[in-house]
Amino acid sequence: MEFSLDQVRELVTILNKTDITELTLESGDVRLSIRKSETRVSTMPVVMPTSAVGSAVNSAAIEHTSISPVVHTTTVADSLPSKKLIEITSPMVGTFYRSPAPDEAPFVEIGDTVKKGHTVCIIEAMKLMNEIESESSGKIVEILVDNTQPVEYGQVLMRIEAN
């Protein structure tokens, strides 16, 4: 399946009208991810590989007023490593913190190896600091949330390449 610029615009418009903050569609070897961000911008470039929409459209601007969606299109074959990726998700709504205190080092960085039970971040909910632990051993390959960013229940925070 290929995604045309009009289809992407329509998806962004629909996403703007809902409370959904992230949408990922996969078809064959193409993955389209659209995520709302809190930064307000009047135009946003959308860059897609030529295999997804043809060589005539490599980038375009999407006009919007209330939010700034972030659109990523990758091929599944390019984004999947040879090992299994395990997602660490938020067990609650709250605020994401990468370190135990503002002046301390983050719990983990991309490339770090963690063991099952290792604290990888904190989610603050109702003034309580909840340590989030890795449920498996492996290497941190993605950190998908910025420090102090609000997170939702079930939102993917990090991905680990399992050992």
Side-chain angles (χ1 to χ4, degrees):
M1 174 181 192
E2 295 181 358
F3 298 101
S4 71
L5 184 56
D6 288 336
Q7 289 172 318
V8 173
R9 282 185 177 146
E10 186 176 343
L11 286 171
V12 169
T13 301
I14 292 168
L15 195 64
N16 281 341
K17 294 177 183 178
T18 69
D19 292 336
I20 299 171
T21 59
E22 183 173 350
L23 174 68
T24 301
L25 300 171
E26 290 185 38
S27 179
D29 65 344
V30 176
R31 177 187 299 167
L32 173 70
S33 295
I34 303 172
R35 181 183 308 161
K36 291 182 185 178
S37 69
E38 294 183 30
T39 307
R40 294 175 186 247
V41 178
S42 61
T43 61
M44 166 114 197
V46 178
V47 179
M48 293 181 226
T50 49
S51 65
V53 293
S55 59
V57 180
N58 285 333
S59 69
I62 295 177
E63 297 290 333
H64 53 85
T65 56
S66 62
I67 56 138
S68 299
V70 178
V71 179
H72 300 284
T73 303
T74 58
T75 61
V76 175
D78 293 339
S79 64
L80 294 178
S82 59
K83 295 190 178 186
K84 181 180 177 189
L85 288 183
I86 298 170
E87 295 180 336
I88 297 175
T89 59
S90 178
M92 65 194 73
V93 173
T95 304
F96 175 85
Y97 293 102
R98 289 192 59 198
S99 60
D103 58 340
E104 293 187 31
F107 289 107
V108 294
E109 295 284 357
I110 293 175
D112 288 355
T113 301
V114 294
K115 295 188 185 283
K116 183 176 181 176
H118 181 97
T119 300
V120 294
C121 65
I122 292 176
I123 303 292
E124 177 188 4
M126 298 177 62
K127 304 291 182 193
L128 294 174
M129 300 298 184
N130 302 282
E131 291 185 353
I132 307 303
E133 298 177 348
S134 174
E135 294 182 10
S136 64
S137 298
K139 183 171 98 174
I140 303 290
V141 293
E142 284 183 286
I143 300 175
L144 303 168
V145 182
D146 293 328
N147 195 40
T148 71
Q149 180 178 343
V151 294
E152 297 181 15
Y153 170 79
Q155 181 176 346
V156 178
L157 306 172
M158 300 177 191
R159 288 193 177 102
I160 296 176
E161 186 178 284
N163 288 340

